[in-house]
Amino acid sequence: MDLLRFTTAGSVDDGKSTLIGRLLYDSKSIFEDRLEAIERTSKASGETEVNLALLTDGLRAEREQKITIDVAYHYFATPQRKFIIADTPGHTQYTRNMVTGASTADLAIVLIDAQKGVLVQSRRHAFIASLLQIPHLVVAINKMDSVDYDEKVFDQIREEFTQFSAKLDMPDIVFIPISALKGDNIVQRSTHMPWYDGPTLLYLLEHVHVEPYKNLIDFRFPVQYVVRPHQQFRGFAGRVSSGAIRVGEPVKVLPSGKHSAVKAIVTYDGELEEARAGDSVVLTLEDEIDISRGDMLVRVHNTPVIGRQVDAYLCWMDETPMEPGRLYELWQTSHTGRASIGEVRYKMDMETMHRLPSGSLQLNDIALVSLQTTMPFFWDTYRQNQHTGSFILIDPDTHNTVAAGMVRQVNKESIADLPQAPAGKKSADVVWEGWNINRAQRESRNGHQAAVLWFTGLSGSGKSTIGRLLEQQLFDRGIQTMLLDGDHLRHGLCNDLGFSEADRSENIRRAAEVARLFYEQGNIVICTFISPFAKDRQQVRALIPEGRFLEVWANCDLDTAIARDPKGLYARALRGEIAHFTGINSPYEPPENPEITLHTATEDSEAAARRIIEKLTALGII
Amino acid sequence: MSANNDYLTFLENEAIYVFREVAAQFARPVILFSGGKDSIVLVHLAKKAFYPARIPFPLLHIDTGHNFPEILDFRDELAREAGVELLVGSVQEAIDKGRVKEETGPYASRNTLQIVTLLDALKTYQVDAAIGGGRRDEEKARAKERFFSHRDAFGQWDPKNQRPELWNLFNGKKHPGEHFRVFPLSNWTELDVWTYIAREKIQLPPLYFSHSRQVFWRDKVLYGDTPFMVHLPGEEIFEAQVRFRTIGDATCTGAIFSEATTIQDVIEEVIAFRTTERGTRGDDKRSESAMEDRKRVGYF
């Protein structure tokens, strides 16, 4: 391709504008009148040298405040190539701008000031480049003139960056020592750095191999528009997202699943034998099939995954934070629908690249989330296919584009996020219909998320006491709650069960199903059951989505529990009057990785309840 | 196609994609037609986007009343040939109705008056997407334009609060009364437009090629002498071989000395140019932010 789209990011002082100015200037892409205009402006604002940054700052507010506000696109050409620069400012909305610029780039330039070394922003930009799967990364170590063109400085920065980038998914990284101000290694090879034997920046930009439409294998044709000039012609207009198709080859239509074959590939300039990734064409089919915008033509044996549930990296781009459970519009290719964010699995801390737990997303946040759509979409992962693996979310009220998403994993068509009841026990006649009003809607009305807090521990360990206190405090905050206690259930729903191991397991299974119903109703469900067996608790955990199930271990030594003995049960068990009593003549298997551990022998109930509320807040549940 | 211009095919595919998005997302789009080369290229691309059907929306010309007559003939013929409806918003009519007040004096131009006529026309025809030939390389405020550029109910552009535009997902959602300006040529440069015109053998009005004309100098801009121009003392009118790099209202479009009679000549000239195209436009010279200020209130 003789077109290279690349992105540069940086803040005011790292020399980004100077670099762009240098590329435009040395490739003779700055016109005289524009140069005259910036000379006039530089003089007027009292600067001694011509400020090349003025070339790139387009808006009045930007010139006045000497900052860059929005992504700007610059164009230059050399005899080898045409270049489009997406110049993304690092000022505010940095992630939003970087992601926007990176979404159409084939190469990213990360600028590092040789005096300052690798900064947070350099790491952030490299991370975004890897997240958006930009195939080439150039680390331009700038201002080499200010460190006496010292090879050691260059090596040190390269070493530091390489250590960091090992964590990223970045196939091609090139380091170039430059001085944008003096022009070293930009267009002309520097005479100050004989130790560097790599390419100049422009040489690299001119010769790096790029392919804007990278996936040439998997044929995907999202129908954009139906062309119907008269009754005899019905053509499907669109741009091939990936792969290729030839006249006569069989195709399948999604979502209908109907089969046909390509009759013709129509363009204004005549019919084609083949349409390839990136081509805007009109396809006609051998059969009369009802197809409209949002449908997709694919090969019969190479289809995307059809599903309503994806895990995706999401970049939040709006001033208004993400609202868990709210329905946003989701646009992917020409297909639009609605989606809600079920769960934020983790948020990236861009300073440390650590994964942080989080419940909500703010402007500039990047997180891995689970997402549910109200209708099936046709997905590929972003890694496989940039076009069918990317999407945007739109706020249904403001119509703003609030997030950009990249699909990491697609779950095949499944019902909501509810696992099916265990096979074998299910009646064949029972058909799962899905909830009438879904949890997301209830959560949206309640103003908090639903969750299940599962207290486990010995009898007398304080589960019920703390559970009741906790419920009262949540209730006082206006939160929808439900308390399920072992004794409650055994008086009604489970009054047919004894205390054998099998009956205890069944008791827990029923308790878990009830908890799930209350959970789906949007409650914070507090369950206090001894639940001594790890496998039973594991089953409960499997019923509730990850992140919404919190195991709370009321950890208390047996002696303290026996000393408390609030119901006199230990005394009876010790006298041999109760069989299968946990801790006495039946085992208790402590949780291995509980979300919360309470030390109930020493910690008072108030403190324990407070810790749980803090945890719920930190997770964004309340 | 030759190997050294396959990026033109990329740009063409991109523009066709944008046109189809407009047709799919909007109810009443128009192509803003100025008679200039960019809008002629737009019409050519629109034909390609919907072939074998006709372009599914009309052309809208904002007529300042100060046109080069050749342009009106060319416009009518182009609309007839493409089989599309031609809508005209008349600045003269707006003046007659008292909607706007004509500027007076030698610097009088109807350029700014067009804004009212344009917004009126968009309202009259209930236009929800106005497709223009604007390019990001033209001017620094335009470098920040989106493909789909949102306008509020008063036609205003808020450059500091634009929607991010990712991959090729163009969000055209709007509230009643708002509209979009759409720029399929966003990623094209002046040279790309000319190279494409040559590749596609697109017909242009003769004004773009060298011809003999009565001209005069004012503020470093070479203006064609037309009946609409009021002369200042000392302005000397002379005959010269000139051509126009852009074509708009005759009172604010400057010519350049040129011997270029074919597209190839023009391309060679463009490659050699050391001033931007809009340097020949008197309307941009009014202030440093002349373009941004006009765009904010609804200009093309």
Side-chain angles (χ1 to χ4, degrees), chain A residues 297-336:
Chain A
L297 303 183
V298 297
R299 284 182 188 276
V300 178
H301 296 297
N302 177 343
T303 59
V305 182
I306 302 172
R308 294 180 219 223
Q309 240 200 337
V310 290
D311 284 357
Y313 290 106
L314 208 62
C315 306
W316 198 257
M317 302 191 149
D318 204 54
E319 301 283 350
T320 312
M322 184 269 278
E323 233 179 276
R326 183 168 180 216
L327 280 177
Y328 293 95
E329 276 200 33
L330 188 149
W331 290 26
Q332 176 235 18
T333 67
S334 56
H335 197 171
T336 62

Coordinates of all heavy atoms in Angstrom, one line a residue, chain A residues 297-336:
Chain A
L297 N -23.1 -11.2 4.9 CA -22.8 -12.3 4.0 C -21.5 -12.9 4.4 O -20.5 -12.2 4.5 CB -22.8 -11.9 2.6 CG -24.1 -11.2 2.0 CD1 -24.0 -10.9 0.6 CD2 -25.3 -12.1 2.3
V298 N -21.4 -14.3 4.5 CA -20.2 -14.9 4.9 C -20.1 -16.2 4.1 O -21.0 -16.6 3.4 CB -20.2 -15.3 6.4 CG1 -20.2 -14.0 7.3 CG2 -21.3 -16.2 6.8
R299 N -18.9 -16.9 4.2 CA -18.8 -18.2 3.6 C -19.5 -19.3 4.4 O -19.7 -19.1 5.6 CB -17.3 -18.6 3.5 CG -16.6 -17.8 2.3 CD -15.2 -18.3 2.2 NE -14.5 -17.4 1.3 CZ -14.5 -17.6 0.0 NH1 -15.2 -18.6 -0.6 NH2 -13.8 -16.8 -0.8
V300 N -19.9 -20.3 3.8 CA -20.8 -21.3 4.4 C -20.0 -22.0 5.6 O -20.6 -22.2 6.7 CB -21.2 -22.4 3.4 CG1 -22.0 -23.5 4.1 CG2 -22.0 -21.7 2.3
H301 N -18.7 -22.2 5.4 CA -18.0 -23.0 6.5 C -17.0 -22.1 7.2 O -16.1 -22.6 7.9 CB -17.3 -24.2 5.9 CG -18.3 -25.2 5.4 ND1 -19.2 -25.8 6.2 CD2 -18.5 -25.6 4.1 CE1 -19.9 -26.6 5.4 NE2 -19.5 -26.5 4.2
N302 N -17.2 -20.8 7.1 CA -16.3 -19.9 7.9 C -17.2 -18.7 8.3 O -17.4 -17.7 7.6 CB -15.2 -19.4 7.0 CG -14.3 -18.4 7.7 OD1 -14.6 -17.8 8.7 ND2 -13.1 -18.2 7.1
T303 N -17.8 -18.9 9.5 CA -18.7 -17.9 10.0 C -18.2 -17.3 11.3 O -17.5 -17.9 12.0 CB -20.1 -18.6 10.3 OG1 -19.9 -19.6 11.3 CG2 -20.7 -19.1 9.0
P304 N -18.7 -16.0 11.6 CA -18.4 -15.4 12.9 C -19.2 -16.1 13.9 O -20.1 -17.0 13.6 CB -18.8 -14.0 12.7 CG -19.8 -14.0 11.6 CD -19.5 -15.2 10.7
V305 N -18.9 -15.8 15.2 CA -19.7 -16.4 16.3 C -21.0 -15.6 16.5 O -20.9 -14.4 16.6 CB -18.9 -16.5 17.6 CG1 -19.7 -17.1 18.7 CG2 -17.6 -17.2 17.3
I306 N -22.1 -16.3 16.5 CA -23.3 -15.5 16.8 C -23.6 -15.6 18.3 O -23.7 -16.7 18.8 CB -24.5 -16.2 16.0 CG1 -24.1 -16.2 14.5 CG2 -25.8 -15.5 16.2 CD1 -25.0 -17.0 13.6
G307 N -23.7 -14.4 18.9 CA -23.9 -14.4 20.3 C -24.4 -13.1 20.9 O -24.4 -12.1 20.2
R308 N -24.9 -13.2 22.1 CA -25.4 -12.0 22.8 C -24.5 -11.6 23.9 O -24.8 -10.7 24.7 CB -26.8 -12.3 23.4 CG -27.9 -12.5 22.4 CD -29.1 -12.8 23.2 NE -29.9 -13.8 22.5 CZ -31.2 -13.7 22.3 NH1 -31.9 -12.7 22.7 NH2 -31.8 -14.7 21.6
Q309 N -23.4 -12.4 24.1 CA -22.6 -12.2 25.3 C -21.1 -12.1 24.8 O -20.6 -13.1 24.3 CB -22.8 -13.3 26.2 CG -23.3 -12.9 27.5 CD -23.0 -14.0 28.5 OE1 -22.8 -15.2 28.2 NE2 -23.0 -13.6 29.8
V310 N -20.5 -11.0 25.1 CA -19.1 -10.9 24.8 C -18.3 -10.3 26.0 O -18.8 -9.6 26.8 CB -18.8 -10.0 23.5 CG1 -19.3 -10.7 22.3 CG2 -19.4 -8.6 23.7
D311 N -17.0 -10.7 26.0 CA -16.1 -10.0 26.9 C -15.3 -9.1 26.0 O -14.8 -9.5 24.9 CB -15.1 -11.0 27.5 CG -15.8 -11.8 28.6 OD1 -16.9 -11.5 28.9 OD2 -15.1 -12.7 29.2
A312 N -15.2 -7.8 26.4 CA -14.6 -6.9 25.5 C -13.8 -5.8 26.4 O -14.1 -5.6 27.5 CB -15.6 -6.1 24.7
Y313 N -12.7 -5.3 25.7 CA -12.0 -4.2 26.3 C -12.8 -3.0 25.9 O -13.2 -2.8 24.8 CB -10.6 -4.1 25.8 CG -9.7 -5.1 26.3 CD1 -9.3 -6.2 25.4 CD2 -9.3 -5.1 27.6 CE1 -8.5 -7.2 25.9 CE2 -8.4 -6.1 28.1 CZ -8.1 -7.2 27.2 OH -7.3 -8.2 27.7
L314 N -13.1 -2.1 26.9 CA -13.9 -1.0 26.7 C -13.1 0.3 27.1 O -12.5 0.3 28.2 CB -15.2 -1.1 27.6 CG -16.5 -0.4 27.1 CD1 -16.9 -1.0 25.8 CD2 -17.6 -0.6 28.1
C315 N -13.1 1.3 26.2 CA -12.5 2.6 26.6 C -13.7 3.5 26.8 O -14.4 3.8 25.8 CB -11.6 3.1 25.5 SG -10.4 2.0 25.0
W316 N -13.8 4.1 28.0 CA -14.9 5.0 28.3 C -14.5 6.4 27.8 O -13.4 6.9 28.1 CB -15.2 5.0 29.7 CG -16.6 5.5 29.9 CD1 -16.9 6.8 30.4 CD2 -17.8 4.9 29.6 NE1 -18.3 6.9 30.3 CE2 -18.9 5.8 29.8 CE3 -18.1 3.6 29.0 CZ2 -20.2 5.4 29.6 CZ3 -19.5 3.3 28.8 CH2 -20.5 4.2 29.1
M317 N -15.3 7.0 27.0 CA -15.0 8.3 26.3 C -15.8 9.5 26.7 O -15.7 10.5 26.1 CB -15.0 8.1 24.8 CG -14.2 6.9 24.4 SD -14.1 6.9 22.6 CE -12.5 6.3 22.4
D318 N -16.7 9.3 27.6 CA -17.7 10.4 27.9 C -17.4 10.9 29.3 O -17.0 10.2 30.2 CB -19.1 9.8 27.8 CG -20.1 10.9 27.5 OD1 -19.9 11.7 26.5 OD2 -21.1 11.0 28.2
E319 N -17.8 12.2 29.5 CA -17.7 12.8 30.8 C -18.6 12.1 31.8 O -18.3 12.0 33.0 CB -18.1 14.3 30.7 CG -17.2 15.1 29.8 CD -15.9 15.5 30.3 OE1 -15.7 15.2 31.5 OE2 -15.0 16.0 29.5
T320 N -19.8 11.6 31.3 CA -20.7 11.0 32.2 C -20.2 9.5 32.4 O -20.0 8.8 31.4 CB -22.1 10.9 31.6 OG1 -22.4 12.2 31.2 CG2 -23.1 10.4 32.6
P321 N -20.0 9.1 33.7 CA -19.5 7.7 33.9 C -20.4 6.6 33.4 O -21.6 6.9 33.2 CB -19.3 7.6 35.4 CG -19.5 9.0 35.9 CD -20.3 9.8 34.9
M322 N -19.9 5.5 33.1 CA -20.7 4.3 32.7 C -21.7 3.9 33.8 O -21.3 4.0 35.0 CB -19.7 3.2 32.5 CG -20.3 1.9 32.0 SD -20.9 0.8 33.3 CE -19.3 0.0 33.6
E323 N -22.9 3.6 33.4 CA -23.9 3.2 34.4 C -24.1 1.7 34.3 O -24.6 1.2 33.2 CB -25.2 3.9 34.0 CG -25.8 4.7 35.2 CD -27.1 5.3 34.7 OE1 -27.0 6.4 34.1 OE2 -28.1 4.7 34.9
P324 N -23.7 0.9 35.3 CA -23.9 -0.5 35.1 C -25.3 -0.9 34.9 O -26.2 -0.3 35.6 CB -23.4 -1.1 36.5 CG -22.6 0.1 37.1 CD -23.2 1.3 36.6
G325 N -25.6 -1.8 34.1 CA -26.9 -2.3 33.8 C -27.7 -1.4 32.9 O -28.8 -1.8 32.4
R326 N -27.3 -0.2 32.6 CA -28.1 0.7 31.7 C -28.0 0.1 30.2 O -27.0 -0.4 29.8 CB -27.5 2.1 31.7 CG -28.3 3.0 30.9 CD -27.9 4.5 31.2 NE -28.7 5.3 30.4 CZ -28.2 6.4 29.8 NH1 -27.0 6.9 30.1 NH2 -29.0 7.2 29.1
L327 N -29.0 0.3 29.5 CA -29.0 -0.1 28.1 C -28.4 1.0 27.2 O -29.0 2.1 27.2 CB -30.4 -0.5 27.6 CG -30.9 -1.8 28.0 CD1 -32.3 -2.0 27.5 CD2 -30.0 -2.9 27.4
Y328 N -27.3 0.7 26.6 CA -26.7 1.6 25.6 C -27.0 1.1 24.2 O -27.2 -0.1 24.0 CB -25.2 1.7 25.8 CG -24.8 2.4 27.1 CD1 -24.6 1.6 28.2 CD2 -24.8 3.8 27.2 CE1 -24.2 2.3 29.4 CE2 -24.4 4.4 28.4 CZ -24.2 3.6 29.5 OH -23.8 4.3 30.7
E329 N -26.9 2.0 23.2 CA -27.0 1.5 21.8 C -25.6 0.9 21.5 O -24.6 1.5 21.8 CB -27.3 2.6 20.9 CG -28.8 2.8 20.8 CD -29.2 3.6 19.5 OE1 -28.5 3.4 18.5 OE2 -30.1 4.4 19.6
L330 N -25.6 -0.2 20.8 CA -24.3 -0.8 20.4 C -24.3 -0.8 18.8 O -25.2 -1.3 18.2 CB -24.2 -2.2 21.0 CG -22.8 -2.8 20.8 CD1 -22.5 -3.8 21.9 CD2 -22.7 -3.6 19.5
W331 N -23.2 -0.3 18.3 CA -23.1 -0.3 16.8 C -21.8 -1.1 16.5 O -20.8 -0.8 17.0 CB -22.9 1.1 16.2 CG -24.1 2.0 16.3 CD1 -25.2 1.9 17.1 CD2 -24.4 3.1 15.4 NE1 -26.1 2.8 16.8 CE2 -25.7 3.6 15.8 CE3 -23.8 3.7 14.3 CZ2 -26.3 4.7 15.2 CZ3 -24.4 4.7 13.7 CH2 -25.6 5.2 14.1
Q332 N -22.1 -2.1 15.6 CA -20.9 -2.9 15.1 C -21.2 -3.1 13.7 O -22.3 -3.5 13.2 CB -20.9 -4.3 15.9 CG -19.9 -5.2 15.4 CD -20.4 -6.6 15.0 OE1 -21.6 -6.7 14.7 NE2 -19.6 -7.6 14.9
T333 N -20.2 -2.9 12.8 CA -20.4 -2.9 11.3 C -21.6 -2.1 11.0 O -21.8 -1.0 11.5 CB -20.4 -4.3 10.7 OG1 -21.6 -5.0 11.1 CG2 -19.2 -5.1 11.1
S334 N -22.5 -2.6 10.2 CA -23.8 -1.9 9.9 C -24.9 -2.4 10.9 O -26.1 -2.0 10.6 CB -24.2 -2.1 8.5 OG -24.3 -3.5 8.2
H335 N -24.6 -3.2 11.8 CA -25.6 -3.8 12.7 C -25.7 -2.9 14.0 O -24.7 -2.6 14.6 CB -25.1 -5.2 13.1 CG -26.2 -6.0 13.6 ND1 -26.0 -7.4 13.8 CD2 -27.4 -5.8 14.0 CE1 -27.1 -7.9 14.3 NE2 -28.0 -7.0 14.4
T336 N -26.9 -2.6 14.4 CA -27.1 -1.8 15.6 C -28.1 -2.5 16.5 O -29.0 -3.2 16.0 CB -27.6 -0.4 15.3 OG1 -28.9 -0.5 14.7 CG2 -26.7 0.4 14.4

